[in-house]
Amino acid sequence: MNHLTPSCSKSAGQLEMERHITGRSYGYVDPNFPNPGGERDTPVIIYGYTPSIALAAFAAAWFFLHFVFHTAQTIKIRSWWWLTFSAGLIFEVIGYIARSLSAKKDPYHLIYFILNYFFIVVAPVLLAAGIYTILSALIPRVGRQYSILPPKIILAFFITSDVISTIVQVAGACLIGVRESRRQDPTIANNILLGGLAYQVFVMTIFVIVAASFQFRARHAIRGNGLGLFCLAFSVSTLMVYLRTIFRLAETGQGLMGELQTNEVYFACLEFAPIALVALLFAIWYPGRCVGVAVRVDDKP
């Protein structure tokens, strides 16, 4: 296992000599991809591995196709409230394009890493905003008596909380990149990132409870409105976003260069795959058709 040890006072030559003497590693360096040594290149690959160009390119293509489909459906049906989902998909595309540049051009480049992390972290927040809106739209349609929270509170609280947690996460990730590029101790930056993720998991846990409670109490009314399959897709999508958030928390909790961070298989299965499934499910059961063109979240019966 590779572990980063802070040593901002040592030169690169001293660090290299210490690696040979002690056998300790200060981060991942790809022996098959020499560091170009550019102005924005870090001494190690912050990902913990060289990203796969196949995964990054496939993910960018997958999310672009779904972006086109969802946006076209939104324009056709005029369900403008679903545009946040399209925005999330285009963020995924940009993030995976940056990841492709890391994989193919320069995995040491700090800006590619920051762009990859920023857009892939922020994208699910926009997708989650669409999920929050779905529940807020379902409640008035199926019956407000089944929900433990009013629709307006659901939208305001969960979207605001996601925005706050994302700002904290992005700030922490950027600080990690800067600290590592300077060979300084990134522990505080990692703790900032961990705090943002912990709060996001906490908020998502509350949402899962609220959504599950509503669907259980309204199960007969949901079937009566012909929304059974759609609500199943909604439930699976919610759990996929929740799973992805838990993965990010566990990854950060292990610390830099932990098992989850340094193995791309985990990223593919627990970051890419869940969000890719969400895009597919909502393409099959498009919310604009299933929930309605307009969303009404007022508290009046």
Side-chain angles (χ1 to χ4, degrees):
M1 184 65 59
N2 291 332
H3 294 280
L4 286 174
T5 301
S7 183
C8 58
S9 62
K10 298 179 181 180
S11 68
Q14 288 173 317
L15 287 169
E16 186 64 31
M17 182 177 295
E18 189 169 335
R19 285 192 192 97
H20 288 296
I21 295 174
T22 66
R24 298 174 64 188
S25 174
Y26 293 86
Y28 177 73
V29 176
D30 190 340
N32 300 315
F33 203 130
N35 192 326
E39 182 182 356
R40 299 295 181 183
D41 288 330
T42 59
V44 297
I45 298 175
I46 303 176
Y47 296 95
Y49 52 80
T50 300
S52 165
I53 183 63
L55 173 62
F58 177 79
W62 177 270
F63 287 119
F64 179 75
L65 290 174
H66 282 86
F67 164 75
V68 171
F69 176 82
H70 281 272
T71 305
Q73 290 296 306
T74 298
I75 294 172
K76 179 181 178 180
I77 301 175
R78 297 182 182 276
S79 50
W80 307 118
W81 61 274
W82 193 242
L83 278 176
T84 56
F85 199 85
S86 291
L89 292 175
I90 201 63
F91 268 48
E92 293 281 4
V93 172
I94 296 171
Y96 281 103
I97 288 176
R99 192 177 181 89
S100 298
L101 291 172
S102 288
K104 188 69 176 177
K105 190 175 180 181
D106 184 0
Y108 301 87
H109 202 283
L110 177 62
I111 302 304
Y112 294 160
F113 171 80
I114 290 177
L115 289 175
N116 155 88
Y117 196 93
F118 172 81
F119 283 102
I120 293 179
V121 163
V122 173
V125 175
L126 297 170
L127 303 180
I131 290 175
Y132 301 150
T133 307
I134 288 173
L135 181 60
S136 300
L138 281 172
I139 292 170
R141 178 170 175 177
V142 176
R144 291 179 179 82
Q145 69 272 23
Y146 301 118
S147 178
I148 60 179
L149 289 178
K152 280 186 177 180
I153 296 298
I154 289 173
L155 273 181
F157 174 72
F158 290 109
I159 290 179
T160 301
S161 295
D162 261 5
V163 169
I164 293 172
S165 67
T166 301
I167 291 172
V168 174
Q169 289 175 57
V170 170
C174 290
L175 284 172
I176 287 173
V178 171
R179 301 287 288 183
E180 286 199 20
S181 68
R182 296 174 180 174
R183 291 192 178 278
Q184 296 173 341
D185 187 357
T187 301
I188 294 177
N190 194 66
N191 288 339
I192 292 173
L193 175 59
L194 186 63
L197 282 164
Y199 180 66
Q200 187 175 29
V201 169
F202 170 73
V203 170
M204 279 295 296
T205 300
I206 296 175
F207 181 79
V208 168
I209 293 171
V210 171
S213 171
F214 169 74
Q215 292 193 76
F216 177 77
R217 298 171 65 185
R219 59 192 182 280
H220 300 301
I222 287 173
R223 286 196 295 268
N225 280 271
L227 294 170
L229 284 176
F230 174 73
C231 284
L232 177 60
F234 166 75
S235 298
V236 173
S237 296
T238 300
L239 292 175
M240 289 299 99
V241 174
Y242 187 47
L243 172 64
R244 173 262 173 199
T245 307
I246 292 174
F247 158 67
R248 284 295 190 178
L249 177 63
E251 176 190 52
T252 306
Q254 282 190 349
L256 296 169
M257 299 298 128
E259 174 68 18
L260 292 176
Q261 182 189 347
T262 56
N263 192 331
E264 193 171 24
V265 172
Y266 293 118
F267 176 89
C269 295
L270 298 173
E271 168 66 49
F272 165 69
I275 303 303
L277 179 60
V278 171
L280 177 62
L281 287 173
F282 283 138
I284 298 171
W285 289 280
Y286 180 73
R289 286 197 176 93
C290 299
V291 175
V293 173
V295 173
R296 182 167 57 91
V297 297
D298 58 274
D299 297 324
K300 298 178 181 178

